[in-house]
Amino acid sequence: MIQLNDIKAVYFVGIGGIGMSAIARFFHENGVKVSGYDKTVTALTSQLEAEGISIYYNEDVERIPKDVQLVVYTPAIPKEHKEYQYYLQNGYSVVKRSDVLQIITQSSLNICVAGTHGKTTISTMTGHLLRHSGFGCNAFLGGIAVNYNSNFWASDNNVCVVEADEYDRSFHKLSPDIAVITAMDADHLDIYGTAEAMEEAFIEFTRKIKPGGWLISKYGLKRTGDLVADNHITYHLNDTNATVHSVNLKVQNGSYVFDVVFGDWILKDVLLNVGGLHNVENALAAIAVAHVLKIDDEKIEDAVTAFKGVKRRFEYVIAPGEGDVVFVDDYAHHPEELRALITGARSLFSDKKLVLVFQPHLFTRTRDLADGFAASLDMADEVILLPIYPARELPIEGVTSELILNKMKLEKKQILSKEELLNEVTSKVDSNVVFVTAGAGDIDALLQELKKKIEA
């Protein structure tokens, strides 16, 4: 296995990915020379460049550094990528992001958060709780923590908080001391084939938990009985059968106040300033981790109150009170995430009409989950679908956004191009509207333009 101490220079193929950039930052922080390739300039790649990392935006075998000890690639790049192929054919150590996480975490105390949704928020909340309380951790996140404007931070404490990605079975390379499983809904069927195979992968993940370790799983998960851990507790928003749950939940000025029950332990009047009931539930999982680590009650409460959220996770583009319209943006790209997003928005803005713009992500996911997407989107008052964002995939015949549209029962629904959306958005919003954008593609590139038009 590669030794971290031997690495003086590293190259990333796909450095702008959210998980890839966290590891690039880790190496950069540790004095390693970091450079990489990405397809497009984004806010994140610009930030990496400002931090001193060299990034190139065109495939060029002549230019790539030849003196690197390690090449890290993302499975999202095509196998025929010229730079990837050059390194592969010339005997370099070429590994996936998950292999590097395996090496980094082999001798640390690891908190690994897995699940088909919620994992980015819970891992970010957990990392924040450990950092804010002074416990300390190294955090490798799949989103940008608003508090720190980063998806990575370091600590002298040999503890790692890692977002454990189920895509490509990456999470099987980790060794958790504490594992969290949020959901095991069918997804990534292009990799797993069936929902059952995916569930098996999560069961296998629990077998990686170290002896004496903890599993914190969402109450009511299918096949909970097959999950393996020496210490197993469950969490749920409000089901009292779960080991950890909330009671006395109230909405106050767009925030939530609640008590946390964890067996005999009660944490009273916790204040969460992040929207969405699903985020109260996410906070319960993070609080459970902090309590297992014996962090003081007061420090836990202070950290939760100070938490500002994750970019693109129920993020206010225009917050309540900032303008006539409330504008929320979210990364939701699975039917259950959309359901949680809409339910969360309704819990805070029950008196407003909900207009939702959704950009489907991947042809295979749209094809496999079209019924679920339609059912979740029907919960809104009006829906605008954008064309499918292809990411790593080629088009599939007959799979377009119309597949979802045609299954929806909602009356007010349509498909628009990005340009049409920008032209028509002002006719969709007024002071009685909460306007929501959702998707994991490039819909976030439209946010500032949409905001400008709405405010004008």
Side-chain angles (χ1 to χ4, degrees):
M1 194 177 273
I2 304 150
Q3 296 301 311
L4 289 178
N5 297 343
D6 298 338
I7 299 166
K8 304 286 179 274
V10 59
Y11 190 78
F12 285 80
V13 186
I15 195 167
I18 193 72
M20 292 280 279
S21 55
I23 293 175
R25 282 174 156 150
F26 165 81
F27 280 115
H28 186 63
E29 175 97 9
N30 283 282
V32 175
K33 188 180 176 191
V34 179
S35 56
Y37 158 87
D38 212 280
K39 193 167 56 178
T40 48
V41 179
T42 62
L44 184 49
T45 59
S46 300
Q47 210 178 355
L48 294 176
E49 289 184 283
E51 289 165 22
I53 294 172
S54 302
I55 302 179
Y56 311 97
Y57 297 96
N58 54 330
E59 290 178 53
D60 184 355
V61 172
E62 298 303 311
R63 174 204 44 73
I64 55 174
K66 311 296 192 289
D67 61 344
V68 295
Q69 290 77 45
L70 185 67
V71 177
V72 186
Y73 74 97
T74 168
I77 60 143
K79 289 288 169 268
E80 62 276 10
H81 191 282
K82 291 176 196 152
E83 297 180 0
Y84 167 74
Q85 284 299 333
Y86 173 86
Y87 283 125
L88 213 53
Q89 288 162 17
N90 285 280
Y92 286 83
S93 278
V94 180
V95 299
K96 286 185 201 171
R97 178 179 72 92
S98 54
D99 297 312
V100 184
L101 276 176
Q102 182 181 14
I103 298 160
I104 292 169
T105 59
Q106 59 196 357
S107 62
S108 50
L109 187 149
N110 302 317
I111 299 145
C112 304
V113 183
T116 40
H117 25 264
K119 61 180 175 285
T120 297
T121 302
I122 293 175
S123 53
T124 306
M125 281 181 169
T126 303
H128 163 75
L129 262 92
L130 269 55
R131 176 171 171 166
H132 193 276
S133 66
F135 186 92
C137 67
N138 300 282
F140 298 89
L141 309 172
I144 302 294
V146 175
N147 290 71
Y148 314 106
N149 198 28
S150 186
N151 53 346
F152 167 78
W153 54 82
S155 162
D156 293 336
N157 199 8
N158 193 24
V159 173
C160 289
V161 175
V162 179
E163 183 166 328
D165 191 1
E166 75 280 356
Y167 176 73
D168 212 17
R169 296 182 171 83
S170 292
F171 60 170
H172 290 168
K173 292 177 178 158
L174 299 168
S175 310
D177 293 85
I178 302 173
V180 178
I181 297 181
T182 67
M184 303 193 301
D185 296 313
D187 199 2
H188 304 303
L189 298 183
D190 53 325
I191 299 284
Y192 289 100
T194 64
E196 291 72 28
M198 185 153 183
E199 288 159 12
E200 284 296 337
F202 278 96
I203 293 163
E204 180 58 30
F205 169 65
T206 64
R207 293 193 186 105
K208 309 286 179 188
I209 299 170
K210 294 175 192 170
W214 287 75
L215 172 62
I216 302 170
S217 71
K218 166 83 181 272
Y219 180 75
L221 284 186
K222 206 167 141 197
R223 304 192 63 188
T224 294
D226 296 328
L227 303 174
V228 184
D230 289 346
N231 301 287
H232 185 185
I233 59 172
T234 57
Y235 71 96
H236 190 277
L237 176 63
N238 50 18
D239 193 319
T240 54
N241 292 306
T243 322
V244 183
H245 55 270
S246 73
V247 293
N248 304 322
L249 174 63
K250 301 180 284 285
V251 174
Q252 284 182 3
N253 306 321
S255 300
Y256 299 102
V257 179
F258 53 95
D259 300 341
V260 180
V261 177
F262 181 159
D264 296 334
W265 177 71
I266 297 177
L267 190 64
K268 284 187 126 14
D269 298 325
V270 177
L271 173 66
L272 178 69
N273 296 307
V274 176
L277 284 171
H278 57 294
N279 283 322
V280 176
E281 187 170 77
N282 290 336
L284 295 175
I287 289 166
V289 172
H291 185 61
V292 165
L293 293 171
K294 299 184 169 58
I295 294 173
D296 291 350
D297 293 9
E298 202 177 305
K299 288 181 176 178
I300 293 174
E301 288 207 55
D302 287 349
V304 174
T305 302
F307 183 65
K308 294 178 182 170
V310 186
K311 284 198 176 165
R312 303 217 61 226
R313 303 303 192 281
F314 209 97
E315 184 181 14
Y316 288 118
V317 182
I318 303 173
E322 277 183 10
D324 289 341
V325 180
V326 176
F327 181 0
V328 174
D329 176 54
D330 197 277
Y331 188 71
H333 58 286
H334 183 281
E336 287 306 314
E337 292 170 343
L338 284 170
R339 185 175 293 276
L341 170 63
I342 294 167
T343 305
R346 292 253 191 242
S347 77
L348 289 169
F349 309 107
S350 55
D351 55 336
K352 289 183 182 287
K353 178 182 163 192
L354 197 150
V355 177
L356 188 138
V357 181
F358 177 55
Q359 180 188 46
H361 182 260
L362 298 177
F363 296 104
T364 51
R365 185 182 281 131
T366 304
R367 177 196 65 200
D368 296 338
L369 305 177
D371 289 334
F373 280 124
S376 293
L377 292 168
D378 277 339
M379 294 167 65
D381 295 305
E382 182 175 347
V383 168
I384 298 157
L385 287 166
L386 295 180
I388 296 170
Y389 182 79
R392 55 186 175 267
E393 294 183 338
L394 294 169
I396 297 171
E397 197 176 336
V399 180
T400 66
S401 293
E402 282 192 1
L403 191 61
I404 298 172
L405 191 85
N406 293 339
K407 290 176 183 284
M408 288 173 65
K409 297 183 172 72
L410 193 69
E411 269 182 45
K412 289 196 148 188
K413 57 181 180 178
Q414 65 185 132
I415 295 172
L416 296 178
S417 68
K418 291 176 190 170
E419 293 71 24
E420 288 167 335
L421 172 65
L422 288 168
N423 290 334
E424 293 184 31
V425 67
T426 48
S427 66
K428 304 286 181 190
V429 296
D430 57 45
S431 58
N432 191 38
V433 164
V434 55
F435 183 72
V436 182
T437 49
D442 61 359
I443 189 169
D444 58 320
L446 302 177
L447 297 183
Q448 289 314 308
E449 196 65 30
L450 286 168
K451 180 184 180 182
K452 237 185 278 179
K453 286 180 180 285
I454 290 168
E455 287 178 331

